[in-house]
């Protein structure tokens, strides 16, 4: 067999030994041995073996560790984990890197060969590391053998030592720093200021030793027509010359140009200077904010196109660094050490513009500054490696080492361009801050969608977001804790309207303005505060898709409610807010931002819990699953369903939902990824479990204190009951004395529309039973168009009841609410008037008048209907009218006002905040307004009812006038009008009830139907 390499020879030898070991055949010429040899070689050469699955190997390693822990072999478990980790992170011969497929393949082989590791007695033996032998070979002499070495004009010059150079640098300053990271100095700038350099006293050699050192240490490559530096004549070191000669030979029109030769080390140093923020460079040039590369710069071992391709990429990164550094300098006022946001730094006095940057930009810049500090530390470490010369540093190795930072800088530059640079300069601060926070929020979600490949990017963006959001959280904390919205730069999305004081009745509605930001950041939308309570405002805000500040959307209402409630509480003279030790408590209290950071740190640390806690949580999860399964099984049995598999699946589904709810509410969470990363789902859950609960807790506390104060100290419930007593006539005895006096005046044909009479009568009625409300109630007569008073029932129009509600109760019971109360009050007075008119009619009045008419004119009895029959018709019509009015009166007073009032009282007790109470009150008024048929949509029904009430008043007037004052034909007309209106109402109400659109009208429809059937 022909062998191509030494490896194949050794492989054949080992193969034969393997066959001899397993088959016990020692004769290699044996036919069976040759068959086995061919089979083995065939498998080695042509069989495709699967690579080891590193996930399975890692799972097996974890499984063995858990098994050892279960068996209480703690020392073996610790040794197993440590030794496998050391092996995976150790280099192998002829293998680059750690945790490679070869590492996992060897571990997979060992795992397959192992037999019950937990039952093996193992004791780790100490391993001695082999000491590296010191290399005493003189490589310098070996490499310089046969070379002509020029010792220079001064062969006695002592050998250069780094320790001596460092001592000399510490003792006296040099004319130029060799590193561009700490000092913004460049070779070109230094060359222009040679006259201003500090003279150095040289004590070595002759006076021209300085010129010799400068000539041999630094080549002035930034000077035009600078001398060429010596380099090797190897082919690889002269690739540029070879390529240039090739172009010259192949291109007849090729004209060589003058070039500036630099070394790769000089290119690396200028790259580091560019990334550190230096602007005056030789290879890279800054022109109008753009970084370009000189065309005449070349290195000897690369072609011109190759070098420029690499340098163009470096220039793009340098331009991003330059833009970010320029933004940092603009915000910090070019200060060397920017202070953290929120502190009174001296840099604020050196701002170029009159208006300093708002706090959100300052916090964002502070986060960028901290990142660039770590980035420059990395650049400084590379610079030290270049100076030390312990290993070869190339441009490709530097770029590979900086590749994670460069990717992060590209990401930061993209966020900066979207969130800051592209915003028009005249944009208000509130839109700038909101847009920047939204950009960071969306960037976290966008980068995290990539998965584990962008963990570092997501971690960096999250740290930037946490720093940038600090001013917003401080504003929220100051507002919901102290009731003071401190926002001097007007960067918060909620801004205070200074024109409305706290003790104004419109404080709750017009004090704050909510700003929303459109997706294109082109226009500013001002929405009325969503906390004002009207449903229309909520519909308007939901129909427009504004971004606002994304992370505050779920708790925006709670923030507004808590802030306004606390500000209102601070201005109330109540016992709830009187805390003598308030300053000491405030000093001990942690801010919202601090609580948020602590919650985030606690949440992330839970990902590093021990396996014991994991096992305990798995047991708890199993118990919860069993418990939930039994509950679901019982529910399924109620529906005659006996399916245990279905019960298990439902239990698992509910359990997952329960875990999801626990994550939202800050429950126990174990992160699958590293504690430094924040995934998309985890980021939203982090906000829900680490930020929102603190805001919710403060919201419940503030709003609860305000509601207790209003109910206890300011008699809110008492005033609501007073409105119902007087406007909705729930105080029947009191208001009866008032409106019956008016009705008696009408019956006696006397003038009742006198303001003095009305107020005196009202004060007398209220003062007897409710003296505390007598000074708050008053009545007015509004001027009404005479055309509207054609019908008798309209004579009560213009009668307006007023109740003086003190502050802050007038926030709930506003003047608009009293207008709705007065509309219901007027309708009730009209019904009460019709009912009172029918109730006060006496049969004797009609019969006496009829007898008087019979005695006076007996000859007419034969010509017309008998008087007794006319009286009977009047009696029947009165009963029909009384049935109609009583049915309407009972429907309004019991089915509408009383039932709705009970629901309203229960909802008021359950209200959590003032805004919710305002909405409940508005909903209550809207309900009784609609159910009393006062809405414009059902005005035709009200008109029919008003016709019947007007007919009642006409009928009562004619009844009291007696026979002879009116013609008998009027009875026919009244009966006809009432029948038509009655039939119309019964038909309309029945259709409405059948459709199900007005279920509350069912009782009225049934009552009127009963009266209609008797007609």
């Amino acid at each position: 067999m022909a062998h191509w390499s030494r490896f194949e020879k050794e492989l054949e030898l080992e193969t034969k030994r393997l066959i001899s070991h397993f088959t016990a055949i020692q004769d290699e010429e044996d036919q069976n041995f040759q068959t086995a040899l061919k089979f083995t070689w065939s498998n080695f050469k042509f069989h495709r073996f699967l690579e080891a699955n590193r996930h399975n190997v890692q799972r097996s390693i974890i499984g063995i560790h858990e098994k050892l822990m279960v068996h209480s072999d703690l020392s073996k478990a610790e040794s197993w984990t440590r030794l496998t980790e050391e092996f995976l992170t150790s280099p192998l011969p002829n293998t680059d890197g750690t945790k490679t497929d070869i590492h996992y393949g060897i571990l997979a082989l060992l795992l397959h060969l192992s037999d019950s590791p937990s039952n093996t007695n193992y004791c780790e033996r100490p391993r001695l590391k082999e000491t590296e032998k010191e290399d005493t070979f003189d490589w310098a002499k070996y490499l310089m053998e046969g070379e002509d070495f020029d010792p220079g004009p001064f062969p006695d010059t002592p050998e250069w030592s780094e320790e001596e150079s460092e001592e000399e640098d510490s003792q006296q300053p040099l004319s130029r720093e060799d590193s561009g990271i700490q000092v913004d100095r460049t070779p070109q700038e230094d060359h222009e200021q040679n006259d201003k350099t500090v003279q150095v006293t040289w004590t070595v050699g002759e006076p021209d030793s300085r010129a010799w050192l400068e000539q041999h240490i630094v080549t002035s490559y930034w000077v035009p027509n600078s001398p060429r530096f010596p380099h090797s004549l190897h082919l690889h070191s002269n690739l540029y010359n070879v390529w240039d000669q090739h172009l010259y030979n192949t291109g007849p029109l090729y004209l060589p140009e003058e070039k500036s030769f630099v070394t790769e080390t000089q290119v690396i140093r200028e790259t580091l200077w560019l990334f550190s923020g230096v602007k005056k460079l030789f290879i890279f040039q800054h022109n109008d904010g753009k970084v370009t590369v000189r065309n005449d710069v070349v290195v000897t071992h690369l072609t011109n196109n190759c070098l420029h391709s690499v340098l163009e990429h470096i220039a793009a990164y340098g331009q991003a660094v330059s833009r970010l550094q320029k933004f940092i300098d603009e915000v910090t006022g070019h200060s060397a050490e920017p202070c953290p946001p929120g502190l009174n730094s001296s840099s604020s006095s050196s701002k170029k513009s009159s208006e300093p940057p708002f706090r959100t930009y300052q916090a964002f810049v502070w986060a960028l500054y901290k990142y660039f500090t770590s980035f420059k530390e990395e650049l400084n470490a590379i610079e030290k490696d270049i100076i030390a010369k312990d290993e070869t540093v190339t441009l490709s190795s530097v770029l590979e080492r900086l590749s994670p930072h460069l990717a992060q800088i590209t990401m930061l530059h993209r966020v900066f361009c979207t969130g800051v640079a592209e915003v028009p300069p005249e944009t208000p601060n509130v839109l700038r801050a909101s847009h920047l926070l939204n950009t960071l929020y969306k960037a976290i979600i966008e980068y995290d969608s990539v998965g584990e490949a962008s963990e570092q990017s997501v971690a960096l963006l999250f740290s930037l977001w946490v720093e940038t959001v600090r001013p917003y959280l401080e504003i929220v904390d100051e507002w919901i804790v102290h009731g003071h919205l401190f926002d001097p730069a007007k960067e918060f999305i909620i801004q205070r309207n200074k024109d409305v004081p706290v003790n104004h009745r419109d404080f709750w509605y017009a004090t704050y303005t909510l700003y929303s930001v459109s997706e294109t950041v082109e226009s500013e939308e001002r929405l009325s505060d969503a906390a004002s309570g009207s449903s229309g405002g909520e519909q308007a805000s939901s129909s427009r898709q504004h971004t606002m500040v994304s992370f505050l959307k779920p708790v925006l209402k709670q923030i507004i409610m808590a802030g306004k409630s606390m500000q209102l509480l601070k201005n109330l003279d109540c016992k709830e807010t009187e805390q003598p030790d308030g300053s000491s408590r405030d000093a001990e209290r942690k801010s919202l931002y601090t609580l948020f950071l602590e919650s985030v740190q606690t949440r992330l640390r839970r990902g590093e819990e021990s396996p014991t806690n994991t096992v305990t949580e798995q047991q708890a999860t199993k118990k919860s699953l069993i418990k939930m399964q039994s509950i679901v099984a019982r529910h399924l049995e109620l529906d005659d369903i006996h399916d245990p598999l279905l019960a298990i699946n439902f239990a698992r589904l509910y359990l997952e939902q329960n875990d999801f709810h626990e994550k939202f509410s800050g429950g126990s969470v174990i992160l699958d990824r590293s504690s430094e990363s924040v995934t998309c789902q985890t980021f939203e859950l982090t906000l829900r479990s680490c930020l929102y609960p603190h805001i919710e807790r403060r919201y419940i506390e503030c709003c609860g204190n305000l509601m207790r104060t209003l109910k206890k100290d300011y008699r809110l419930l008492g005033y609501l009951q007073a409105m119902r007593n007087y406007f909705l006539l729930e105080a029947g005895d009191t208001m009866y004395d008032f409106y019956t006096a008016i009705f008696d005046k009408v019956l006696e044909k006397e003038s009742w529309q006198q303001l003095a009479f009305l107020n005196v009568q009202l004060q007398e009625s209220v003062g007897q039973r409710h003296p505390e409300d007598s000074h708050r109630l008053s009545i007015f007569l509004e001027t009404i168009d005479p055309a509207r008073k054609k019908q008798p029932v309209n004579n009560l129009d213009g009668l307006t009841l007023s109740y003086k509600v003190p502050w802050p109760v007038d926030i709930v019971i506003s003047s608009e609410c009293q207008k709705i109360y007065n509309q219901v009050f007027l309708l009730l007075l009209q019904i009460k008037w019709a009912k009172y008119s029918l109730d006060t009619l006496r049969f004797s009045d009609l019969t006496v008048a009829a007898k008087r008419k019979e005695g006076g004119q007996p000859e007419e009895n034969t010509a017309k209907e008998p008087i007794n029959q006319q009286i009977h018709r009047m009696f029947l019509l009165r009963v029909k009218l009384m049935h109609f009015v009583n049915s309407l009166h009972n429907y309004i007073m019991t089915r509408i006002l009383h039932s709705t009032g009970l629901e309203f009282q229960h909802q008021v007790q359950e209200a959590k905040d003032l805004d919710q109470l305002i909405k409940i009150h508005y909903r209550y008024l809207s309900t009784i307004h609609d159910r009393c048929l006062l809405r414009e949509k059902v005005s035709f029904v009200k008109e029919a009812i008003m016709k019947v009430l007007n007919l009642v008043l006409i009928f009562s007037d004619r009844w009291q006038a007696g026979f002879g004052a009116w013609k008998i034909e009027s009875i026919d007309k009244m009966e006809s009008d009432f029948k038509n209106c009655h039939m119309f109402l019964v038909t309309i109400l029945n259709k409405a009830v059948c459709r199900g659109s007005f279920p509350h009208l069912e009782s009225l429809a049934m009552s009127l139907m009963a009266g209609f059937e008797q007609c």
Side-chain angles (χ1 to χ4, degrees), residues 914-974:
L914 185 57
D915 184 69
Q916 187 177 358
L917 179 60
I918 293 173
K919 290 181 180 179
I920 291 173
H921 188 228
Y922 270 111
R923 194 181 304 119
Y924 166 69
L925 291 180
S926 177
T927 301
I928 62 175
H929 182 270
D930 294 346
R931 292 183 178 181
C932 289
L933 307 175
L934 296 175
R935 194 168 53 172
E936 188 67 27
K937 187 177 180 179
V938 291
S939 58
F940 58 92
V941 180
K942 182 190 174 185
E943 291 178 0
I945 293 175
M946 289 297 106
K947 287 182 179 179
V948 176
L949 296 181
N950 188 64
L951 183 63
V952 169
L953 297 179
I954 296 176
F955 174 80
S956 174
D957 185 62
R958 291 180 179 178
W959 181 293
Q960 293 176 354
F963 283 100
W966 40 273
K967 296 182 179 180
I968 194 62
E969 290 80 3
S970 60
I971 301 178
D972 300 332
K973 188 176 186 308
M974 285 189 293

Side-chain angles (χ1 to χ4, degrees), residues 844-854 867 959 961-964:
S844 58
D845 295 339
L846 192 60
T847 55
V848 171
K851 291 179 179 179
R852 190 182 308 115
K853 187 175 182 181
E854 281 183 351
I867 294 179
W959 181 293
F963 283 100

Side-chain angles (χ1 to χ4, degrees), residues 688-700:
R688 294 184 180 274
S689 61
C690 301
L691 177 61
Y692 299 162
H694 300 298
I695 298 178
E696 289 274 358
R697 195 176 301 112
R698 190 61 196 170
Y699 154 75
I700 294 173

Side-chain angles (χ1 to χ4, degrees), residues 835-847:
K835 178 176 172 56
Y836 185 78
S837 299
L838 290 176
D839 290 343
T840 54
L841 294 180
R842 293 178 297 179
F843 292 104
S844 58
D845 295 339
L846 192 60
T847 55

Side-chain angles (χ1 to χ4, degrees), residues 613-638:
N613 295 337
T614 304
V615 174
T616 305
E617 291 182 1
Q618 291 176 354
Q619 294 175 355
T621 303
K622 186 176 180 179
K623 292 180 180 178
S624 301
L625 180 61
I626 295 174
K627 182 179 179 181
M628 184 63 69
Q629 178 186 351
S630 62
I631 295 174
V632 174
R634 286 198 301 268
H635 280 280
L636 292 176
E637 290 175 359
L638 295 177

